[in-house]
Amino acid sequence: MEITGRIIAALEPRGGVSARTGNSWKTQEFVIETVEQYPKKCVFEVFGEDRLQQFNIQVGQQLTVSFDIDAREYNGRWYNSVRAWRVVPAEAGAPVGGASPVASGVEPVATSIPAPSASEMPAEDDLPF
């Protein structure tokens, strides 16, 4: 899945050592907001110090984030995880929140519905209200 928008918050990084493998780990969450008539916000995480350095996400950047969604159960409750696997700068002029129809190879179709002529119009409006 993909979302395009502006980074509005970078939460504090978290890290630790895996009890199972003994390897250290690091993760950080970011909040992205779409630029639409009704903006939407989404929290996503970047897992791994190497990816955090590679993506170098900063507040205020316009980005397109590719992510996977997964859910896990803990003590009878379910939690969602939105984990980014690719982050690229948003393309200038591309619509935010979705792919451009032209970029996806689909040409927009212009349709027009002709107005009915006077002879096709009913003499009386038969709507009940």
Side-chain angles (χ1 to χ4, degrees):
M1 299 183 83
E2 224 174 56
I3 188 169
T4 301
R6 185 175 60 87
I7 302 297
I8 61 171
L11 286 71
E12 289 296 317
R14 296 183 326 242
V17 177
S18 171
R20 190 178 65 194
T21 64
N23 296 334
S24 63
W25 57 271
K26 187 173 183 182
T27 186
Q28 187 172 4
E29 294 179 324
F30 300 90
V31 181
I32 190 168
E33 181 178 47
T34 62
V35 183
E36 300 172 318
Q37 182 179 0
Y38 301 105
K40 294 169 183 57
K41 296 177 184 83
C42 179
V43 176
F44 67 92
E45 72 175 328
V46 176
F47 187 83
E49 190 166 358
D50 57 336
R51 284 197 175 161
L52 284 167
Q53 291 175 357
Q54 175 189 358
F55 297 157
N56 191 27
I57 299 171
Q58 303 295 319
V59 173
Q61 284 182 307
Q62 291 279 346
L63 300 173
T64 297
V65 178
S66 300
F67 58 91
D68 290 324
I69 299 175
D70 195 18
R72 64 192 178 290
E73 184 266 335
Y74 179 75
N75 288 339
R77 296 196 59 186
W78 286 87
Y79 299 89
N80 287 323
S81 171
V82 178
R83 187 170 286 179
W85 53 272
R86 183 177 66 178
V87 177
V88 295
E91 295 179 32
V96 175
S100 164
V102 175
S104 65
V106 177
E107 292 295 324
V109 178
T111 60
S112 62
I113 300 172
S117 65
S119 63
E120 295 173 335
M121 294 290 288
E124 218 175 277
D125 189 10
D126 57 348
L127 294 176
F129 49 88

